[in-house]
Amino acid sequence: MTSSYKCVIFDLDHTLWDYDTNCAEALQELYLKHELKEKGVESFQNFLEVFVDMNTQMWDQFDLGLIQRDVIRYQRFHRILTAVGVDDYKLSLEMSSDYVRLSPTKKNLLPNAKQILDYLKGKYQMIIITNGFEEIQSVKLSSSGISDYFENVITSETVGHKKPAREIFDYALKGRAHENHEVLMIGDNLNTDIKGANNAGIHSAYFNPLRKPHNHTTTYEIADLIELKSIL
Ligand SMILES: [Mg+2]
C-alpha cells in the first residue's frame, strides 16, 4: 500500500525484540547456573512468573519516573529472590549483573518483525525510540540482527527524557523535514508509545497482540506486525 507516511518510529522491547521469550531463556540459564532449585526454588515456572510480575511493576514505575535505573539494577533480583524464599543480597547482585549481560544477547524477535522491516526498508526513514538503556538496547539490536534497518536509535538515557514526553520525539525528529501527519509511531505500550505519539502530535499504531481492551485514542491498532502492510 502507498501511504502519506515518510518516517516510521518503532519501539523496541515487546514490539520488535521478543522481550518475554528472551527474558525467559536468560532466566532459565540463571536458574541452573545459580542452582536455585537446590536453594529451594522448586519450580522455574514460579520463579519466572514472580520475575515477570515484579519486573513489569518496576518498569511501569520507571516509565512514570517514580524510580531510577539503579533501583532496577540493584533491587529487582533481591525482591524477586526474597519473594521466592531466598533472601540473599549477594546472590541477587550476581544474578542481576548476569541477567543484564546475558538477556540482551538473546535473538528472538516478535512474529513477522523481520518480514515487516524488510518490507519497509528503503521506503521509509526508520527510527527506534526506546525507554531502555543505551548499551543494553544496542546489544539487543545487534544480537537480533536488526541494527542496520534503523537510521537512528534514540534511548531515553541519551536524551534525558522518557516516552511519553514530547521532548524525546522532538529530539528524534529534529532536522527532518516531516509534517506531523507523515510520521507513524508503532509500539506496544499505551502509556509510553501511544500517549507519547499523542503528545508529539503524530499518528500511532498500537501493537496489541492479545487484543486487550483499552480506552486510549490510537490512529490504528494491530495484533500482528504484518498488518502494517495495510497501513504502510
Ligand atoms: Mg515496548
Side-chain angles (χ1 to χ4, degrees):
M1 177 166 171
T2 53
S3 76
S4 60
Y5 294 112
K6 295 192 172 146
C7 175
V8 178
I9 304 174
F10 278 95
D11 168 53
L12 182 59
D13 290 339
H14 300 283
T15 296
L16 294 171
W17 197 75
D18 187 348
Y19 191 97
D20 293 336
T21 304
N22 291 324
C23 161
E25 282 185 10
L27 289 173
Q28 178 81 64
E29 287 179 41
L30 297 189
Y31 179 81
L32 295 173
K33 177 184 170 188
H34 293 283
E35 302 181 321
L36 291 188
K37 197 180 186 71
E38 292 73 7
K39 293 183 169 78
V41 187
E42 287 293 327
S43 147
F44 170 72
Q45 200 51 39
N46 180 45
F47 173 64
L48 179 61
E49 279 164 23
V50 171
F51 176 92
V52 169
D53 196 38
M54 294 208 171
N55 189 54
T56 307
Q57 274 178 36
M58 291 181 91
W59 274 101
D60 287 346
Q61 290 176 325
F62 178 82
D63 286 335
L64 291 169
L66 298 174
I67 60 169
Q68 300 299 312
R69 166 191 186 147
D70 281 359
V71 178
I72 296 180
R73 209 39 92 73
Y74 300 113
Q75 299 296 327
R76 176 172 52 183
F77 275 89
H78 189 230
R79 292 187 195 174
I80 293 159
L81 286 175
T82 306
V84 296
V86 182
D87 185 357
D88 184 337
Y89 190 63
K90 187 166 169 286
L91 174 65
S92 79
L93 292 183
E94 282 171 30
M95 288 190 72
S96 180
S97 74
D98 282 352
Y99 175 79
V100 167
R101 183 183 43 76
L102 182 61
S103 160
T105 66
K106 299 295 176 186
K107 304 169 168 21
N108 299 286
L109 295 170
L110 269 299
N112 293 318
K114 206 66 185 273
Q115 287 81 342
I116 202 67
L117 292 176
D118 280 327
Y119 171 80
L120 298 175
K121 192 174 168 65
K123 301 189 183 92
Y124 300 91
Q125 289 193 326
M126 284 154 68
I127 301 174
I128 288 206
I129 301 184
T130 167
N131 277 1
F133 306 125
E134 187 76 27
E135 90 270 14
I136 292 181
Q137 301 308 72
S138 69
V139 175
K140 288 176 183 173
L141 283 160
S142 55
S143 36
S144 61
I146 59 172
S147 307
D148 292 346
Y149 290 96
F150 300 97
E151 202 170 286
N152 219 339
V153 177
I154 313 283
T155 66
S156 57
E157 187 176 42
T158 301
V159 181
H161 294 277
K162 287 195 274 279
K163 294 178 286 185
R166 191 197 166 99
E167 286 85 346
I168 193 167
F169 292 87
D170 288 345
Y171 180 97
L173 296 169
K174 196 172 51 188
R176 295 169 203 274
H178 298 312
E179 303 289 333
N180 281 0
H181 65 269
E182 295 173 335
V183 183
L184 180 67
M185 170 78 213
I186 300 150
D188 69 293
N189 190 311
L190 289 166
N191 293 316
T192 55
D193 303 318
I194 305 308
K195 206 181 268 182
N198 292 343
N199 288 341
I202 60 174
H203 288 184
S204 64
Y206 174 40
F207 177 47
N208 185 9
L210 300 177
R211 299 183 192 279
K212 289 180 278 191
H214 64 91
N215 52 20
H216 288 246
T217 305
T218 70
T219 319
Y220 307 99
E221 183 160 333
I222 55 170
D224 187 312
L225 293 171
I226 209 71
E227 293 169 49
L228 289 171
K229 280 191 176 183
S230 63
I231 302 169
L232 294 162

